[in-house]
Amino acid sequence: MTAVVIVGAQWGDEGKGKIVDLCTEHADMVVRFGGGPNAGHTLVVGNDKLVVRLIPSGILRPQTTCVLAQGMVIDPSSLVGELDELELRGHVQVRKLVVSDRAHAILPYHVLVDGLREQGAGAIGTTKRGVGPCYEDKAARRGIPLGALRDRARTARLVATAIEAWTPTIRALGGTPPVADEIIAKLRPLADRIVPLLADTSKLVERAVRDGKKVLFEGAQGTLLDVDHGTYPFVTSSSAVAGGACVGAGVGPTRIDAVIGLAKAYCTRVGGGPFPTELTEAIGDRLRKAGDEFGSVTGRPRRTGWLDLPALRYAVGVNGLDGLAITKLDVLTGLDTLQVCVGYRTAAGVSDDFPIDGLDGATPVYETLEGWKEELAGARSLEDLPAAARRYVAFIEKHADCPLAIVSVSPKRDDTIVLKSPFDTVRA
Ligand code: IMP
């Protein structure tokens, strides 16, 4: 096993940070392949905590090369800000960070448009980091690949063209178009920092995989936020599914050895959009507090709800999951009973499929499972769990139709039941 993809199997925030951190201990390379500063995870650096949005946590491990691949959109000021923060703490080995010269630059007009749109009727609850408008520019073939930063004149031309294209939209939204020269002037010192990190990362990643190095592809957001497979239009603008690793990093599907999906023992969602198992009463608050469900990028309270097994099975399918990592099982401790969505009632009857295109007219069908009161921290094997918690994870495994690989029972690194380490997950 050398190339492993880890993706979120729900609406993002599945607790990737801890699981990716565990896996990077064994990884030679960690590759982010999509999204941008809309993702976020907390790095613990000595006694400090630092939220990073672009740089993977592998940056703290001396043996691990971190790659920001071409499927990403990167805000130069965010990237340099993160590098500065890490350097201040004496922790970053810049030579271990490589950035694709084909990843696209998020520039101030992207952030401006994202923010203006979020003030209007069409708001969907984005992170307002300019991610959507930057991918729009990329698809419209007027984006700015980071490689353009090597050439000042080319950058200036591209920025001027993009501002011209965005000006009617910005005005219609009540904003003031930015001045190209100001953007260019601010970009210059950032470009000086970023250009030395640029490379053809797909060559680097492909070679690492071919050489048998342990390469971890770290997904961002989650399956149900994927632009093709999520709850459109309440989605992000990139590929968050496992196939996105191939497209966004430049490796062929035959090179991927295993795909691990992460799912919380319940569900959360930030931003707007359908969330059929959402809990709006006290129990939702309880999950939010117990699970510390507040966005790491925006600080927004996350919506919380019961586990949705049809949605999870859908994620198992579209990602081709080989193993499931269940996170935050401990957050459910103390509840007398647990509801789990096992199917949906629609006009056509009851089905155990996730009605991705008809969620408005679908009602979840629940099964009730027994809860548990015992602390889970300290469990190192499934046998260490209380019987009801064991039954809960077995129920998930059966209904999701995917083998369990990992069960996380507290935020601490050691409080993890590893049934199959991702780099040992052998496909049947
Ligand atoms: P955008 O990616 O900022 O355009 O936001 C689009 C949708 O994806 C919004 O509902 C965001 O809340 C959601 N989203 C984006 N990134 C994340 C993430 O890392 N975790 C959870 N939700 C996210």
Side-chain angles (χ1 to χ4, degrees), residues 201-221:
T201 55
S202 58
K203 198 156 121 193
L204 198 74
V205 174
E206 201 273 328
R207 193 167 294 159
V209 171
R210 196 153 28 99
D211 290 349
K213 298 265 194 278
K214 289 191 164 120
V215 181
L216 186 76
F217 295 87
E218 178 185 338
Q221 292 81 48

Side-chain angles (χ1 to χ4, degrees), residues 33-309:
F33 56 83
N38 46 354
H41 56 266
T42 307
L43 293 185
V44 180
V45 187
N47 294 327
D48 276 346
K49 277 189 176 172
L50 167 70
V51 174
V52 287
R53 301 182 174 115
L54 293 163
I55 298 177
S57 54
I59 199 75
L60 300 181
R61 299 193 190 274
Q63 89 285 2
T64 308
T65 300
C66 291
V67 176
L68 305 183
Q70 67 262 45
M72 289 189 71
V73 287
I74 294 174
D75 186 327
S77 63
S78 301
L79 179 57
V80 170
E82 285 181 20
L83 287 171
D84 284 347
E85 286 277 344
L86 282 160
E87 270 170 15
L88 255 180
R89 291 162 168 87
H91 275 276
V92 83
Q93 306 205 3
V94 171
R95 71 192 161 80
K96 290 280 186 184
L97 178 71
V98 192
V99 181
S100 170
D101 49 12
R102 282 180 277 166
H104 278 241
I106 298 180
L107 291 171
Y109 41 87
H110 297 129
V111 181
L112 175 66
V113 169
D114 203 359
L116 289 170
R117 283 178 178 158
E118 283 298 308
Q119 288 168 15
I124 65 152
T126 73
T127 59
K128 300 192 228 174
R129 305 280 158 178
V131 169
C134 183
Y135 278 116
E136 283 175 56
D137 267 354
K138 176 178 170 177
R141 295 169 292 229
R142 56 162 189 258
I144 305 190
L146 290 177
L149 300 183
R150 295 183 180 118
D151 176 342
R152 287 183 180 181
R154 183 177 168 216
T155 309
R157 267 195 319 274
L158 290 171
V159 168
T161 307
I163 291 181
E164 200 184 322
W166 282 112
T167 291
T169 306
I170 293 170
R171 287 207 203 286
L173 291 167
T176 309
V179 177
D181 287 346
E182 286 173 16
I183 290 181
I184 301 292
K186 284 198 185 127
L187 205 48
R188 249 174 226 148
L190 301 173
D192 290 344
R193 298 281 303 281
I194 292 173
V195 165
L197 306 176
L198 297 179
D200 174 357
T201 55
S202 58
K203 198 156 121 193
L204 198 74
V205 174
E206 201 273 328
R207 193 167 294 159
V209 171
R210 196 153 28 99
D211 290 349
K213 298 265 194 278
K214 289 191 164 120
V215 181
L216 186 76
F217 295 87
E218 178 185 338
Q221 292 81 48
T223 302
L224 298 173
L225 288 172
D226 179 274
V227 67
D228 291 294
H229 301 285
T231 49
Y232 191 88
F234 298 94
V235 293
T236 190
S237 303
S238 59
S239 292
V241 295
C246 296
V247 179
V251 289
T254 51
R255 297 286 184 260
I256 304 297
D257 297 300
V259 183
I260 303 295
L262 271 82
K264 273 181 200 166
Y266 49 99
C267 283
T268 62
R269 169 163 210 167
V270 266
F275 185 5
T277 63
E278 183 166 12
L279 289 162
T280 46
E281 63 275 32
I283 197 152
D285 268 337
R286 179 182 169 147
L287 290 181
R288 189 173 307 111
K289 284 196 190 95
D292 193 21
E293 298 295 357
F294 297 88
S296 51
V297 173
T298 58
R300 290 181 289 179
R302 295 179 185 140
R303 300 156 69 192
T304 52
W306 294 122
L307 184 63
D308 186 330
L309 286 172

Side-chain angles (χ1 to χ4, degrees), residues 309-310 313 340-345 350-353 363-366:
L309 286 172
R313 222 170 18 251
V340 186
C341 171
V342 291
Y344 277 92
R345 182 170 287 109
V350 172
S351 159
D352 58 9
D353 282 341
T363 323
V365 175
Y366 289 104

